[in-house]
Amino acid sequence: MMSLNISANNVCFLSLKNIFKYKLHSKYIHKSVVARKITPQEVTAILSSKEYLYEFEQNCGSIKAYETNQLESNVPIEDVRAEAKCLLTSGMLFGVFDGHAGASCSHVIAKRLFDYICVSLLPKPLLMEYLQYDSKLVEMRNETFHLVGELKSIYAESLKSYVLKLINERQEHQFKMKDALEKSFMQLDEDIMAEARLNVSGDVDNLTLNVGLSGSVACVAHIDGPHLHVASAGDCLAVVGVYTDDDTWVAKVMVEEHNTENLNELNRILSEHPVNEKDTVIKYDRLLGQLAPLRAFGDLRYKWSREMLSEYIPKLGENIIPPFYYTPPYLTAKPQVAHYHLQPRDKFLVLATDGLWDFMTPLQVVRLVGEHMSGKVTLTPLKLPRKNMKLKEINNLLLQRRDSLKRKPVDANACTHLIRNALGGTEYGVEHAKLSQLLNLPKNISRSFRDDITITIVYFNTEYLRHRQPE
């Protein structure tokens, strides 16, 4: 999550996206900033270093494949991605997490949130069975980091307490996915706040406190057959790419960005505080003049009471209490939840952190992925889709392939294709000089020009959706 504070003798403050638009034009990057121009081969090596692709067995469900990629700007990167198969229920989970004030919170959320979601989906008998046998809840894919052992035991106890709470609360009333997703987000955030105050050994005490002090937004998709649920807290986006009957692409945005550019969100947070705070709750397009997202995990500085924060002044300094801090909490991790019933025309889902959306609109992203899907067929040898095809059918196939050659992508991974176009795109195509500049910026100033970018694209199985009986 980019965090820019721009002020000079009380001159006007720009919105975050306007700052990006101003700074990202290549002419504003001074030549002395970049040591040398990197080659196209080096650009491709950088862009593709974190690519990942997973393809499912044929006819196994609504998901055909998914691919991911990341490009860091912060050191270490504050974005995280996660994908997992639910083991005690059906369905897959995909998430992107954008941290701020460090990477601690986003890493912890990526490791824990899927477990909280999974137990929230279980009926009471399975919850009791889970406690008895300590069953594994999810099968994570492509993990790139692990939590330290001391934290694992603390987090396991918190999850167990949540399961017991669910068992005591669970009634026989009708299950609602929206409630389950909201509860899982809110409970994990509540546990992070409680763990930050634990009196444990020094190193672990610092770790749990650091997780609570840092913050992270999150956008998670749960896909089970034709049912897509998205839960989001913050300014990541989830967008479905729809291919219409007239052969055009449409971007269906599943959730809103929770920042000051969203009038509904702005009105929500103002309504939760006294009228005499209307000029201080949001200042300079930020929460209390400091935080860009208006929903997030962690960030205890915007959630704890003033009395609780005061206890930490000797350790963390007086800045632990934000200015204009009168009626906390000012921040919530409660997600916006959307449900969508997938149709055959729905081809893919894009989950991405705001590092991508700062450069591109949802429709631009969907069109690029759609064009990539068409051009990608030229990267593999031609295979006839069935035996005993007529010469006319083969000829039509070859003509289609020739047309696709015009859109042949440089990158096999569509996430990489998006990053390349986001950083180097111009009205005339991808410009290598622009890409080279943005990728070769010194680490200490890179954040001023671009944020971390994390993208996951989930491809839907059209044949499954076409033959799936309506529910």
Side-chain angles (χ1 to χ4, degrees), residues 374-405:
S374 176
K376 188 177 177 181
V377 298
T378 63
L379 299 178
T380 57
L382 175 63
K383 291 182 180 180
L384 297 181
R386 62 183 185 276
K387 297 179 180 179
N388 303 320
M389 290 183 69
K390 296 178 180 179
L391 286 175
K392 184 178 180 180
E393 293 175 320
I394 296 175
N395 182 59
N396 288 336
L397 194 64
L398 290 170
L399 290 174
Q400 291 173 7
R401 189 176 178 87
R402 185 181 68 179
D403 184 61
S404 295
L405 280 168

Side-chain angles (χ1 to χ4, degrees), residues 314-333:
K315 184 175 184 177
L316 301 172
E318 292 187 359
N319 287 337
I320 185 65
I321 303 178
F324 318 115
Y325 203 71
Y326 307 125
T327 56
Y330 289 90
L331 190 66
T332 180

Side-chain angles (χ1 to χ4, degrees), residues 182-455:
E182 286 181 354
K183 186 184 288 285
S184 59
F185 271 60
M186 296 292 282
Q187 184 64 52
L188 176 54
D189 191 55
E190 185 179 315
D191 287 348
I192 288 171
M193 295 297 100
E195 292 155 1
R197 289 178 63 81
L198 286 177
N199 276 320
V200 288
S201 62
D203 289 342
V204 178
D205 187 25
N206 288 333
L207 286 172
T208 56
L209 181 59
N210 285 339
V211 172
L213 283 168
S214 61
S216 179
V217 302
C219 186
V220 172
H222 180 273
I223 304 173
D224 187 2
H227 296 287
L228 165 64
H229 286 86
V230 175
S232 181
D235 48 12
C236 298
L237 282 182
V239 179
V240 174
V242 184
Y243 195 59
T244 66
D245 291 331
D246 58 356
D247 298 329
T248 58
W249 286 99
V250 171
K252 185 173 182 59
V253 181
M254 300 297 299
V255 288
E256 299 175 326
E257 292 180 276
H258 301 130
N259 55 30
T260 56
E261 293 182 12
N262 179 344
L263 187 58
N264 291 333
E265 187 68 3
L266 188 60
N267 289 334
R268 176 194 66 80
I269 195 165
L270 289 174
S271 71
E272 293 173 356
H273 299 277
V275 176
N276 60 2
E277 289 188 64
K278 66 182 179 65
D279 295 326
T280 57
V281 172
I282 302 295
K283 289 184 74 70
Y284 318 128
D285 290 330
R286 289 170 176 267
L287 183 67
L288 301 180
Q290 296 185 339
L291 191 67
L294 301 183
R295 303 191 196 193
F297 286 92
D299 288 313
L300 57 80
R301 297 177 64 238
Y302 308 100
K303 295 173 180 174
W304 281 359
S305 67
R306 176 177 282 271
E307 290 72 26
M308 290 170 65
L309 290 175
S310 296
E311 296 174 23
Y312 289 83
I313 289 178
K315 184 175 184 177
L316 301 172
E318 292 187 359
N319 287 337
I320 185 65
I321 303 178
F324 318 115
Y325 203 71
Y326 307 125
T327 56
Y330 289 90
L331 190 66
T332 180
K334 183 178 181 179
Q336 176 190 358
V337 179
H339 171 251
Y340 183 65
H341 196 283
L342 295 169
Q343 304 295 326
R345 287 290 183 182
D346 302 319
K347 301 304 178 183
F348 54 82
L349 169 72
V350 179
L351 295 172
T353 56
D354 68 342
L356 177 67
W357 310 114
D358 287 327
F359 291 90
M360 288 182 167
T361 66
L363 184 56
Q364 288 173 324
V365 166
V366 165
R367 284 175 174 168
L368 279 169
V369 176
E371 290 170 5
H372 185 272
M373 289 173 65
S374 176
K376 188 177 177 181
V377 298
T378 63
L379 299 178
T380 57
L382 175 63
K383 291 182 180 180
L384 297 181
R386 62 183 185 276
K387 297 179 180 179
N388 303 320
M389 290 183 69
K390 296 178 180 179
L391 286 175
K392 184 178 180 180
E393 293 175 320
I394 296 175
N395 182 59
N396 288 336
L397 194 64
L398 290 170
L399 290 174
Q400 291 173 7
R401 189 176 178 87
R402 185 181 68 179
D403 184 61
S404 295
L405 280 168
K406 300 173 186 176
R407 298 185 293 274
K408 180 178 179 180
V410 175
D411 308 294
N413 186 299
C415 301
T416 310
H417 181 65
L418 286 176
I419 297 173
R420 184 185 296 274
N421 279 271
L423 299 187
T426 69
E427 57 184 316
Y428 305 109
V430 176
E431 184 183 290
H432 172 70
K434 187 178 178 184
L435 256 176
S436 176
Q437 284 181 315
L438 285 171
L439 291 177
N440 203 28
L441 290 168
K443 297 299 183 184
N444 60 329
I445 67 167
S446 176
R447 279 174 53 104
S448 298
F449 293 89
R450 61 180 179 87
D451 199 357
D452 299 329
I453 299 175
T454 296
I455 308 169

Side-chain angles (χ1 to χ4, degrees), residues 111-128:
K111 283 293 188 184
R112 301 177 68 185
L113 182 56
F114 287 179
D115 282 341
Y116 276 67
I117 291 173
C118 283
V119 296
S120 300
L121 303 181
L122 296 178
K124 188 171 182 177
L126 279 181
L127 286 171
M128 298 177 71

